[in-house]
Amino acid sequence: MRTAYITHPSCSKHSMGADHPECAERLHAINDQLIASGVLDHLIHYDAETASKAQLTRVHNSEYVEWVFRQAPAEGLVQLDGDTAMNKFTLDAATHAAGAAVQAVDLVMAGDVENAFCCIRPPGHHAGRSGASGFCIFNNVAIGAAHAISQHRLQRVAILDFDVHHGDGTEDIFHDNPQVMLCSTFRHPFYPYTGAESGNDHIINVPLAAGSNGAVFREAVMEHWLPALERFQPEFLFISAGFDAHYEDDMGGLALKEADYLWVTETLKQLARKYAQGRIVSVLEGGYSLHALGRCVMTHIKCLSEL
């Protein structure tokens, strides 16, 4: 299969300070693993385009977008919230990260590729309509989903989020929009301490207890995600691909393995073939154990591209 690999040099220049877990080394670990495995040579490479303010404001308040642009520092760090900061490269990285998701949608819809992986940072799924949060500035996957609906006139798109943290920003954006189904598994109670009771017919939240392993995760997907997705019949699938539920990630506290990410990727591919003409865009979210992150992303991409 033709799989796009979309990234941008600015994403490695964004920094929130020494020893911050959401660091450029995350992308380096992914790239190194893809090179070592031979996968990188089989992907179709694109430099991410820049998201426009019009694309950003499909999901974020214009006041918030303008505020972020004003905060961008010439030097040093500016804190947007308690654990999210900007350096002088962050605005460029954030607009390219969001633009990667938009570009991926366009490439898939045009038939240039069959699916895409956006290897970008900062991540996005904690960014809500009007605020940065949890290392996230703009909600990349939400911007991509909104673009699919607005620009390509799709009626039903689904976002599948298996990050260890609840994608509260994505839920905030789409909670009242039945064109978007959000299916999420996440450790609970755990940061951001949301999601356990906020679902509805198109927001399918499945909290997982600390220590939950792959068997528990697979049962959650089969019993909760898949029946809802079968009813919804999405025309396009987006994946909020966080890999911090891996057992080696000591920030997460769940116990997934590479085989679980392979299984969920293949399961979602089958659903995409059934309802969405195979169309999938996967966007990197969390994952902070560098060795595990590289292996998990490599496994995920190998499945997407059928290598």
Side-chain angles (χ1 to χ4, degrees):
M1 297 185 74
R2 300 187 310 279
T3 297
Y5 183 74
I6 307 175
T7 188
H8 193 270
S10 63
C11 293
S12 292
K13 296 179 180 179
H14 160 59
S15 173
M16 294 188 283
D19 301 320
H20 198 291
E22 205 296 284
C23 57
E25 286 76 14
R26 299 177 65 231
L27 300 191
H28 302 160
I30 291 169
N31 198 62
D32 288 349
Q33 186 66 48
L34 293 175
I35 292 171
S37 64
V39 170
L40 197 64
D41 290 340
H42 295 277
L43 307 177
I44 304 175
H45 296 253
Y46 295 89
D47 276 349
E49 298 173 355
T50 305
S52 67
K53 287 185 178 179
Q55 291 164 345
L56 299 175
T57 55
R58 286 179 178 143
V59 306
H60 295 293
N61 295 338
S62 59
E63 295 83 1
Y64 170 64
V65 172
E66 294 298 337
W67 178 78
V68 170
F69 273 71
R70 290 196 304 271
Q71 298 308 302
E75 297 294 337
L77 292 178
V78 169
Q79 291 292 139
L80 301 184
D81 83 331
D83 52 17
T84 311
M86 300 179 74
N87 72 352
K88 64 181 180 179
F89 302 108
T90 298
L91 183 62
D92 197 29
T95 52
H96 279 99
V102 171
Q103 183 179 359
V105 170
D106 289 342
L107 288 168
V108 172
M109 290 300 297
D112 294 338
V113 297
E114 290 161 285
N115 53 50
F117 181 78
C118 300
C119 192
I120 47 85
R121 53 184 295 274
H125 74 154
H126 294 305
R129 290 183 178 276
S130 58
S133 181
F135 314 161
C136 304
I137 298 173
F138 298 131
N139 195 311
N140 309 312
V141 76
I143 291 162
H147 181 73
I149 293 169
S150 178
Q151 186 67 28
H152 296 282
R153 302 293 187 263
L154 298 183
Q155 298 301 308
R156 298 177 310 282
V157 304
I159 300 173
L160 302 318
D161 187 335
F162 48 70
D163 191 278
V164 79
H165 305 99
H166 176 234
D168 55 326
T170 311
E171 179 170 328
D172 173 55
I173 290 165
F174 293 124
H175 190 271
D176 298 321
N177 183 350
Q179 286 184 280
V180 180
M181 174 167 280
L182 170 63
C183 296
S184 183
T185 53
F186 50 94
R187 178 182 165 187
H188 186 81
F190 198 48
Y191 180 88
Y193 304 99
T194 56
E197 300 176 352
S198 57
N200 55 35
D201 287 345
H202 65 98
I203 304 289
I204 313 301
N205 289 329
V206 191
L208 304 177
S212 294
N213 61 15
V216 176
F217 168 71
R218 295 184 193 207
E219 182 179 9
V221 170
M222 290 187 291
E223 290 194 4
H224 298 280
W225 288 17
L226 295 184
L229 289 164
E230 289 283 350
R231 292 192 299 270
F232 188 66
Q233 299 185 14
E235 299 170 289
F236 203 116
L237 268 63
F238 292 85
I239 300 175
S240 262
F243 299 95
D244 39 8
H246 192 274
Y247 76 96
E248 291 180 19
D249 200 312
D250 57 13
M251 287 181 61
L254 295 184
L256 272 60
K257 299 180 179 180
E258 289 93 318
D260 300 308
Y261 293 113
L262 174 62
W263 174 84
V264 73
T265 306
E266 182 54 44
T267 299
L268 296 178
K269 279 183 63 181
Q270 291 174 14
L271 187 89
R273 285 193 289 264
K274 186 174 181 180
Y275 295 117
Q277 301 178 41
R279 298 183 291 218
I280 297 176
V281 166
S282 180
V283 180
L284 181 65
E285 300 285 2
Y288 306 101
S289 169
L290 298 182
H291 294 299
L293 176 63
R295 298 195 311 270
C296 289
V297 172
M298 182 268 291
T299 299
H300 179 61
I301 292 177
K302 281 186 72 175
C303 185
L304 286 176
S305 57
E306 298 186 359
L307 292 174

